[in-house]
Amino acid sequence: MIQPNPTKVTPFGAVNASVNRAADLLGIKENYRRLLTTCWRETKVSLPITDDKGELRVYEGYRVQHNGVRGPYKGGVRYHPEVDLDEVKSLASLMTWKCAIVNIPFGGAKGGICVDPAKLSERELQALTRRFVNSIKTMIGPYKDIMAPDMGTNPKVMGWMMDAYGQLNGYSPAIVTGKPVTLEGTPDRLDATGLGVAMITRRVMEARKEFLSGKTVVVQGFGNVGSFAALHLHRMSAKVIAVSDVNGTVFDKDGLDVEKLMAYLEAKKTLAGFPHAEFALPGELNALGLECDILVPAALGHVIHAGNVEAVKARYIIEGANGPITPEADDYLNRKGVIIVPDIMANAGGVVGSYFEWCQNIQMHHWERSESKLELDKFMSAALAGVSQAANKYGINYREAAFVVGVDRVYQAAAARGH
Ligand code: GLU
């Protein structure tokens, strides 16, 4: 039985340990390391709103801009009750490396509000969102800092953000990506992260002369990332044998019809009771420990840790979530020979989709779906090629190599600016 995380590694500390390892290999000097391991700007705002009963409620919000040497800051805004400054810093830093690895002209940022969005009415959530945008209005802009969805936020929230910013600055669709399609969002952004996860999984396996067809997949987390990763892996003929969310795991050893499962969840609001499959509560079974070829953790960070890593049986782990594996667990899995595709490469399809949306917004132009799918595959394949080359050159794993590629590109840009 998998246990909760007993150790306490700070998320920003964990990311910086990887940055420092890459800096060692690249021979980057101490003064530049400081630039790469600190955030450019860390903002904390107090967000008072009036709730539906007319009472005052105050929330805490953050926007952290980690590094902008390669372009405008870019990153999502997370609404979650466990959001804190250290976590937002770690996620902002991951965005810097992610954008560099897929070679899009953005720096890294992240935002968050410490709130459980499920406990707020739609009116309260909208008021909170508008207050947040108003509080950070001088930091953001279509060429300064562009927000996007993350955990607990969605296209609807992005639409409110665009409107709140537009009230102050006029029509500016490029201020935020992942918007509703009716507001110059793109239909492709919605599943871009999950599609990118599936594309990179296929490419990584092909590079090892293995093929996706018939391989067993377990997806932990069935939100935007997990559900579309499962769907596209299923469409690429992998066998998705289990998916889980906070309420439990649905499984079928012969493979789930993910298309139908998504429709079922939409209609019933639960995975439980899906026809011809079994269901277990979180206390009865943990999806992370199931026998499979490919495990896709696609929910919160640090879910695989020293206390439960020995139960993991997958041969491949594709990090749909940001930071799902603690450094200790990562060491253990690497020693065991598990192939780990790190978050900054595996889930970068989301920000690549955002980049496509931003490009269309600033040009007031629309692309075809087929064109953006092809482009996404090109960006993901190019990222893997660069990372594989670094892995071979230094004899290191994908995570170390991804950091080497990202850190090197940011370092080169900083040096070229004369920093
Ligand atoms: N929140 C997503 C991520 O962590 C997407 C960010 C974006 O599209 O800007 O990559």
Side-chain angles (χ1 to χ4, degrees), residues 1 19 25 53 72 103 196 200 229 240 251 321 323-325 343:
M1 173 66 208
V19 175
L25 289 168
K53 296 196 190 93
N103 214 358
I200 203 94
V240 180
F251 57 103
I325 306 178
D343 45 12

Side-chain angles (χ1 to χ4, degrees), residues 196-210 212 236 374 377-378 380-382 384 388 398:
V197 165
M199 285 170 168
I200 203 94
T201 308
R202 180 171 59 188
R203 299 271 176 226
V204 164
M205 293 192 83
E206 280 170 5
R208 313 190 112 63
K209 310 262 177 304
E210 283 204 71
L212 251 186
M236 292 174 186
L374 222 72
D377 202 23
K378 274 197 224 162
M380 298 306 285
S381 301
L384 179 61
S388 302
Y398 280 140

Side-chain angles (χ1 to χ4, degrees), residues 3-281:
Q3 300 300 322
N5 186 0
T7 51
K8 199 82 201 127
V9 191
T10 95
F12 190 50
V15 176
N16 276 342
S18 297
V19 175
N20 276 315
R21 258 202 302 277
D24 285 342
L25 289 168
L26 292 163
I28 294 177
K29 286 203 242 124
E30 184 54 36
N31 48 356
Y32 269 103
R33 276 175 200 235
R34 227 181 131 61
L35 187 80
L36 304 171
T37 54
T38 49
C39 297
W40 186 255
R41 195 179 275 126
E42 299 168 21
T43 302
K44 176 165 175 262
V45 290
S46 186
L47 304 168
I49 60 158
T50 308
D51 71 11
D52 289 347
K53 296 196 190 93
E55 296 291 331
L56 174 72
R57 281 204 232 165
V58 186
Y59 295 90
E60 266 172 17
Y62 305 90
R63 185 73 183 169
V64 171
Q65 296 171 333
H66 175 260
N67 188 295
V69 300
R70 297 185 79 252
Y73 298 101
K74 183 81 191 82
V77 180
R78 174 173 290 199
Y79 289 0
H80 191 273
E82 275 156 35
V83 160
D84 64 24
L85 182 60
D86 188 84
E87 185 198 46
V88 179
K89 284 164 66 172
S90 77
L91 295 167
S93 171
L94 287 178
M95 288 307 302
T96 299
W97 317 121
K98 199 182 289 189
C99 292
I101 290 161
V102 285
N103 214 358
I104 55 176
F106 288 139
K110 199 77 169 200
I113 301 180
C114 185
V115 62
D116 182 352
K119 294 209 173 112
L120 267 62
S121 70
E122 187 161 316
R123 191 205 63 81
E124 291 166 343
L125 211 54
Q126 183 172 161
L128 183 61
T129 302
R130 288 180 180 277
R131 190 80 204 197
F132 179 64
V133 172
N134 195 56
S135 301
I136 60 165
K137 62 186 173 214
T138 54
M139 295 171 69
I140 55 174
Y143 288 97
K144 260 195 208 174
D145 183 348
I146 304 122
M147 300 174 292
D150 197 78
M151 199 176 286
T153 55
N154 54 28
K156 188 184 262 182
V157 174
M158 299 304 114
W160 298 333
M161 287 183 172
M162 172 181 154
D163 189 64
Y165 185 82
Q167 281 185 312
L168 302 164
N169 300 285
Y171 182 64
S172 327
I175 180 59
V176 52
T177 54
K179 298 178 291 293
V181 174
T182 44
L183 285 178
E184 292 303 312
T186 56
D188 315 319
R189 176 62 186 89
L190 188 67
D191 68 342
T193 316
L195 177 58
V197 165
M199 285 170 168
I200 203 94
T201 308
R202 180 171 59 188
R203 299 271 176 226
V204 164
M205 293 192 83
E206 280 170 5
R208 313 190 112 63
K209 310 262 177 304
E210 283 204 71
F211 296 95
L212 251 186
S213 182
K215 294 289 182 306
T216 53
V217 177
V218 170
V219 179
Q220 179 251 355
F222 207 59
N224 175 270
V225 180
S227 61
F228 285 112
L231 179 69
H232 287 292
L233 285 164
H234 169 73
R235 286 185 181 161
M236 292 174 186
S237 70
K239 200 200 278 186
V240 180
I241 55 164
V243 306
S244 71
D245 69 6
V246 282
N247 301 314
T249 303
V250 57
F251 57 103
D252 179 352
K253 62 174 177 29
D254 297 323
L256 295 158
D257 183 332
V258 183
E259 218 113 12
K260 287 197 179 128
L261 183 62
M262 285 176 78
Y264 181 87
L265 181 66
E266 175 79 31
K268 308 269 179 180
K269 309 286 169 228
T270 173
L271 296 171
F274 182 60
H276 316 299
E278 291 175 64
F279 183 79
L281 294 168

